[in-house]
Amino acid sequence: MTSLSDLPLRANLVGKLPYGAPQDPVPISLNVNENTHPIPEGVLTDIVAALTDAVRGVNRYPDREFTELRRALAGYLGFGLAPEHVWAANGSNEVLQQILQAFGGPGRTLLSFTPTYSMYPLLAAGTDTGWIPVERPADYALTPEAVVSALREHRPDIAILCGPNNPTGTPLDREVVLAAYDAFDGILIVDEAYQEFDAERESSIALLPGRHRLLVSRTMSKAFAFAGVRLGYLAADPAVIDALRLVRLPYHLSALTQAAATAAVRHADEMLATVADIRAQRDRLAAALSELGYLVHPSGANFLLVGGFADPEATFEALRAQGILIRNLGIDGHLRITAGTESETTAVIEAIAALGVAGA
Ligand SMILES: *Cc1c(COP(=O)(O)O)cnc(C)c1O
């Protein structure tokens, strides 16, 4: 039987593992930071009607420039954005890949601050872009000084700041973004996959005017409860979007994706109605786990990174045996837990409480 090691794979992919969050059919899935609430019935009806319409036209290629969707996304984002400031692809992962295809590649580098989103190094490898991980301090919070010093030392072609940061939840302060932009002359991406959950901070989209190397990526996969549709998007200078047009595959967004996403964005208020409750469940989970003696890192997202587990893998398996899936990312003593519905959050609190106090 042929195995991967028998194939003439590109050197920078040898030994790599594919993205691999477990996909177990368990009753309580709190491992990939989805919005665990179903989408509202009224919106569902509208999306189905839009899909029916779109199916009638699938003998033709879809609108390559997905103009209607870009107009809807620009309207949702606000900040005076026009459709030409907005781009989208099949998940923000594809948007990030297109950015690396256009601005990274052989001989170029991508820098980010770890622990951070595990896809960044994989996207770098896939586009033959050098990966420069710079470790965050013990509390995971970035400071302007630390970011400026790393960017001046390494002079990357692209840097990504993830805010709030996955998997730590750490919010990203505006002064860090501003300092980073001025510290180097490469492309600065702010990955705002969880921005809607961070009610305390304004989006970095506010900083776009006059900063043509700043790119702000967003997704419908988290707060919008639309992970299955695969729709990520970007706000940036129109010139950046022209660059992404050079690398995207023609007609990369299917007519069905465009129809579903456009209908959902038009109902943004209803789609985002669960965000306040998810934040409340996150805070309830944080309070309960702190009470049990665990170390809960501050989070601006819909998940918590929690430390104080003597044996994280054992806890992960104990919860999995009870039908609760959380995430072990290999951070010493830590596990990541998504805030779900009220009953899911209660279940995970009770399951961890039943294991005893922290460190035991
Ligand atoms: C979940 C997540 C994404 C979203 O990816 P999609 O491809 O849009 O589903 C992007 N960035 C980070 C940091 C994430 O955690």
Side-chain angles (χ1 to χ4, degrees):
M1 211 176 71
T2 310
S3 77
L4 187 51
S5 58
D6 300 321
L7 298 175
L9 198 63
R10 265 167 45 202
N12 64 326
L13 295 179
V14 171
K16 293 261 178 351
L17 294 172
Y19 176 83
Q23 278 197 305
D24 276 13
V26 294
I28 301 182
S29 273
L30 302 174
N31 71 326
V32 287
N33 300 339
E34 294 149 336
N35 182 336
T36 66
H37 298 72
I39 64 173
E41 270 313 301
V43 183
L44 191 142
T45 309
D46 245 36
I47 291 171
V48 171
L51 285 170
T52 304
D53 247 16
V55 170
R56 291 205 175 91
V58 294
N59 56 310
R60 303 287 184 186
Y61 281 112
D63 174 9
R64 219 170 28 224
E65 300 300 328
F66 46 101
T67 316
E68 242 193 300
L69 175 58
R70 285 161 82 188
R71 192 171 298 127
L73 287 168
Y76 162 65
L77 290 172
F79 296 103
L81 294 180
E84 56 267 29
H85 295 106
V86 177
W87 185 248
N90 299 284
S92 53
N93 275 281
E94 188 178 65
V95 175
L96 295 173
Q97 184 179 54
Q98 291 173 343
I99 297 168
L100 290 178
Q101 287 176 312
F103 298 103
R108 295 195 171 197
T109 53
L110 167 70
L111 179 149
S112 194
F113 297 89
T114 56
T116 191
Y117 189 37
S118 61
M119 278 305 299
Y120 301 154
L122 288 178
L123 290 165
T127 56
D128 222 337
T129 306
W131 166 240
I132 306 175
V134 176
E135 229 182 295
R136 289 172 180 256
D139 69 354
Y140 304 126
L142 296 179
T143 61
E145 298 71 32
V147 166
V148 166
S149 130
L151 292 173
R152 291 212 174 124
E153 181 189 342
H154 297 287
R155 298 250 152 241
D157 297 282
I158 307 169
I160 306 189
L161 301 175
C162 187
N165 185 50
N166 182 10
T168 63
T170 320
L172 176 64
D173 288 326
R174 166 157 302 182
E175 55 267 32
V176 175
V177 178
L178 290 171
Y181 188 85
D182 292 333
F184 78 134
D185 53 17
I187 295 289
L188 178 64
I189 306 167
V190 180
D191 182 343
E192 292 192 343
Y194 301 96
Q195 204 281 329
E196 289 91 347
F197 295 107
D198 190 1
E200 288 77 22
R201 281 166 196 76
E202 191 179 38
S203 166
S204 287
I205 293 171
L207 307 178
L208 286 179
R211 293 187 181 85
H212 64 275
R213 295 177 291 107
L214 178 63
L215 284 58
V216 183
S217 77
R218 302 278 289 257
T219 183
M220 294 183 73
S221 295
K222 307 290 160 63
F224 257 94
F226 230 45
V229 173
R230 310 303 299 127
L231 200 289
Y233 53 105
L234 181 81
D237 190 278
V240 168
I241 285 150
D242 284 342
L244 301 186
R245 270 201 196 88
L246 299 173
V247 297
R248 65 94 179 272
L249 297 174
Y251 316 107
H252 68 290
L253 277 184
S254 85
L256 304 186
T257 302
Q258 293 186 38
T262 305
V265 173
R266 289 198 176 127
H267 290 279
D269 287 353
E270 292 145 84
M271 293 294 280
L272 295 173
T274 54
V275 165
D277 184 55
I278 293 166
R279 284 165 44 87
Q281 296 311 320
R282 172 196 73 197
D283 295 343
R284 184 166 77 94
L285 181 62
L289 297 182
S290 300
E291 184 81 7
L292 289 167
Y294 290 95
L295 169 66
V296 180
H297 295 277
S299 172
N302 65 334
F303 59 86
L304 295 172
L305 185 69
V306 182
F309 294 97
D311 184 348
E313 190 57 23
T315 302
F316 170 81
E317 287 299 347
L319 294 198
R320 174 139 97 172
Q322 299 171 56
I324 302 173
L325 197 56
I326 60 172
R327 193 81 180 272
N328 181 4
L329 291 140
I331 301 174
D332 225 19
H334 285 71
L335 290 165
R336 193 191 67 191
I337 310 169
T338 308
T341 60
E342 182 172 4
S343 64
E344 288 169 332
T345 305
T346 300
V348 76
I349 291 170
E350 285 175 355
I352 292 175
L355 297 173
V357 292

